[in-house]
Amino acid sequence: RPPPLATTSRCSSLSGVCAAVVQSLRFQSASAPVPVRSMMVAAVRLIERSLVMLRPGELFGETALLDGALRPYTAEALTDCLLLALDGQTFEGLVRANVALAVRVVKHLARRLKDAEDQIENMLLRDNQSKVVNTLIKLAQNKESGPQGIILNVTPLELSSRTGIDVESIKRGVQQLRDSSYIQITDETIVVPDVAALRRLFDLLGMKEELGR
């Protein structure tokens, strides 16, 4: 049976699977491998060396089961969560028996790798506004444009995790883009009317950075 989660209102376990409603959740880093957790309804962030926002249906902790290494992150729930915890044997059995699940896990790992590459790219940029613009361009890639433009469902906290910038600086940067009509904002939705204009702005910011050196 998977080890108990921090503060649960209900937990039932059957054949290596544990479903739990969690009010507070915090897994400390550098501890022994534990069951993979799949979020059914959750908002969880991984903190320490990087900050990643995980949405409902995403996985975390799977690498510890795959290679037996210590977990390098601390996970903290931002809202009440419903989690599904699997031990190593159950996880491997499900992946072997379910092709659709195996494909989903591979896509999940590939997306994590892509996100890491984008974060590294942002680390090489000195200007905070360049990081924000570059991240919005990345998020807009491969998305279909509607009547108003490309819609991005992203929060300031998520942008902070992708850029490595504090939330207040993110809000100021986004407001500047809004004031300059590069984006539109409705609640937590960002609309990009013209991605090409954002790319031109990114190039101009890069030129400004080069001239300032």
Side-chain angles (χ1 to χ4, degrees):
R1 174 174 177 166
L5 302 170
T7 312
T8 64
S9 61
R10 183 182 75 254
C11 185
S12 59
S13 180
L14 177 64
S15 300
V17 179
C18 179
V21 177
V22 183
Q23 279 71 48
S24 64
L25 166 70
R26 191 175 179 86
F27 299 119
Q28 295 298 326
S29 62
S31 56
V34 297
V36 62
R37 262 97 180 171
S38 174
M39 291 176 296
M40 307 306 289
V41 180
V44 173
R45 62 176 178 176
L46 301 181
I47 55 180
E48 295 295 336
R49 292 176 296 180
S50 64
L51 175 64
V52 178
M53 285 284 297
L54 302 180
R55 290 178 173 273
E58 292 193 289
L59 304 172
F60 65 96
E62 71 285 346
T63 53
L65 297 181
L66 296 174
D67 58 18
L70 297 180
R71 300 196 319 275
Y73 304 110
T74 295
E76 179 180 354
L78 301 178
T79 64
D80 291 353
C81 303
L82 175 60
L83 304 181
L84 182 66
L86 309 175
D87 60 29
Q89 183 176 359
T90 303
F91 179 65
E92 183 176 345
L94 287 173
V95 171
R96 289 179 179 274
N98 191 320
V99 175
L101 176 61
V103 171
R104 179 180 174 182
V105 171
V106 170
K107 288 182 177 179
H108 166 77
L109 295 176
R111 186 170 64 254
R112 285 275 182 87
L113 179 59
K114 179 62 169 60
D115 289 344
E117 291 174 346
D118 291 343
Q119 286 181 328
I120 292 174
E121 181 178 323
N122 270 333
M123 289 174 60
L124 300 177
L125 301 173
R126 294 184 179 183
D127 179 59
N128 281 353
Q129 194 67 337
S130 294
K131 295 180 180 182
V132 174
V133 174
N134 185 48
T135 299
L136 292 177
I137 292 172
K138 297 285 187 183
L139 291 173
Q141 287 179 347
N142 302 322
K143 285 185 175 289
E144 293 186 5
S145 180
Q148 294 181 323
I150 296 176
I151 298 176
L152 304 177
N153 295 312
V154 59
T155 66
L157 184 56
E158 288 175 289
L159 283 176
S160 174
S161 73
R162 291 176 175 272
T163 59
I165 306 172
D166 64 272
V167 174
E168 290 305 316
S169 295
I170 287 291
K171 290 180 179 179
R172 287 194 296 270
V174 169
Q175 185 61 47
Q176 290 175 5
L177 292 174
R178 180 183 186 180
D179 293 343
S180 301
S181 300
Y182 285 103
I183 62 173
Q184 301 167 5
I185 302 175
T186 305
D187 296 327
E188 293 184 346
T189 297
I190 294 178
V191 179
V192 182
D194 188 353
V195 179
L198 270 185
R199 292 194 178 98
R200 290 193 294 270
L201 174 62
F202 180 71
D203 291 339
L204 288 174
L205 291 171
M207 293 173 59
K208 178 180 177 181
E209 181 178 331
E210 288 292 333
L211 292 174
R213 289 182 179 179

